[in-house]
Amino acid sequence: SSELTQDPAVSVALGQTVRITCQGDSLRSYYASWYQQKPGQAPILVIYGENNRPSGIPDRFSGSRSGNTASLTITGAQAEDEADYYCNSRDSSGNPLYVFGTGTKVTVL
Amino acid sequence: EVQLVQSGAEVKKPGESLKISCKASGYSFTSYWIGWVRQMPGKGLEWMGIIYPGDSDTRYSPSFQGQVTISADKSISSAYLHWSSLKASDTAMFYCARLSRGVNDAFDIWGQGTMVTVSS
């Protein structure tokens, strides 16, 4: 099965920009989706596809892909963006199997 | 409102069986895959498997194949995760999530989670 690798932790100053990356072979074929999880809460979808935001997600969240790397960028990070972020993608086998990334803890300073 | 509502927290002993549920409302239950996700205490999200309630097509992550059973009852718009013999290592939070498929796949609706504690 596929693996998706993320940096364990990143920090960003309030109002600055942070990029979270997700690497894996399956990303050459499939877009990643990104999930935000705050302590004690269920994950929520923040980005899917090439760069799509569900209703209610601020436009400071954006996504991109290059080769085997997907990225989630927060432009003008806010205190409420402090959370764990996970990427997810379909398995490279082509079956409807999926895998989550290892997760990135974002700290807003 | 589209939502997934999961059953309540469970405390079980090793060797016991358990089935937790995920009830869907606000959309056509048989038209979307439902997935299950494990989160062990202090750890990340792990994708367990997925079911299409329309025809009960079920797929499992290799890591969970044979360890759990995923099922669905479309008459009551509910998906299930079942263990026949729990282990202490099954202690975790479990989430169900709706998979929106198309050009882009994404788990767009999540349940609130069910905490399962297995302890003697």
Side-chain angles (χ1 to χ4, degrees), chain A residues 7-93:
Chain A
D7 291 331
V10 296
S11 61
V12 58
L14 185 68
Q16 296 304 300
T17 297
V18 61
R19 175 179 290 181
I20 305 159
T21 61
C22 171
Q23 287 190 302
D25 288 342
S26 64
L27 298 176
R28 296 185 186 278
S29 303
Y30 302 104
Y31 285 110
S33 52
W34 290 91
Y35 303 85
Q36 176 193 70
Q37 186 181 34
K38 297 180 179 180
Q41 297 184 17
I44 62 168
L45 176 67
V46 293
I47 288 288
Y48 65 99
E50 186 170 6
N51 183 18
N52 301 294
R53 285 175 288 106
S55 174
I57 300 301
D59 61 6
R60 63 179 178 270
F61 289 90
S62 63
S64 62
R65 181 181 72 171
S66 178
N68 73 335
T69 301
S71 300
L72 173 70
T73 300
I74 309 174
T75 303
Q78 302 299 303
E80 60 264 31
D81 300 334
E82 185 163 293
D84 294 324
Y85 290 84
Y86 297 91
C87 58
N88 179 276
S89 176
R90 195 164 170 178
D91 185 273
S92 56
S93 69

Side-chain angles (χ1 to χ4, degrees), chain A residues 1 31 33 35 37 41-43 45 48-50 52 86 88 90 95-101, chain B residues 33 37 39 43-47 50 59-60 62 95 99 101 104-108 110-112:
Chain A
S1 62
Y31 285 110
S33 52
Y35 303 85
Q37 186 181 34
Q41 297 184 17
L45 176 67
Y48 65 99
E50 186 170 6
N52 301 294
Y86 297 91
N88 179 276
R90 195 164 170 178
N95 292 318
L97 301 178
Y98 296 82
V99 61
F100 281 100
Chain B
W33 294 79
V37 177
Q39 188 168 39
K43 302 298 185 182
L45 304 177
E46 299 175 90
W47 191 83
I50 199 163
R59 312 295 176 96
Y60 295 92
Y95 295 100
L99 175 65
R101 293 195 70 190
N104 308 300
D105 294 355
F107 293 93
D108 61 347
W110 289 68
Q112 82 277 19

Side-chain angles (χ1 to χ4, degrees), chain B residues 25-95:
Chain B
S25 61
Y27 72 97
S28 174
F29 180 66
T30 55
S31 299
Y32 290 81
W33 294 79
I34 292 278
W36 286 94
V37 177
R38 182 176 79 174
Q39 188 168 39
M40 299 178 77
K43 302 298 185 182
L45 304 177
E46 299 175 90
W47 191 83
M48 301 176 71
I50 199 163
I51 187 166
Y52 189 72
D55 60 7
S56 293
D57 186 4
T58 308
R59 312 295 176 96
Y60 295 92
S61 162
S63 299
F64 291 93
Q65 180 82 48
Q67 307 305 306
V68 295
T69 301
I70 295 171
S71 61
D73 184 342
K74 54 189 179 183
S75 70
I76 55 172
S77 299
S78 293
Y80 303 95
L81 185 62
H82 175 252
W83 293 261
S84 59
S85 181
L86 287 160
K87 303 184 287 287
S89 58
D90 291 318
T91 294
M93 179 72 81
F94 294 89
Y95 295 100

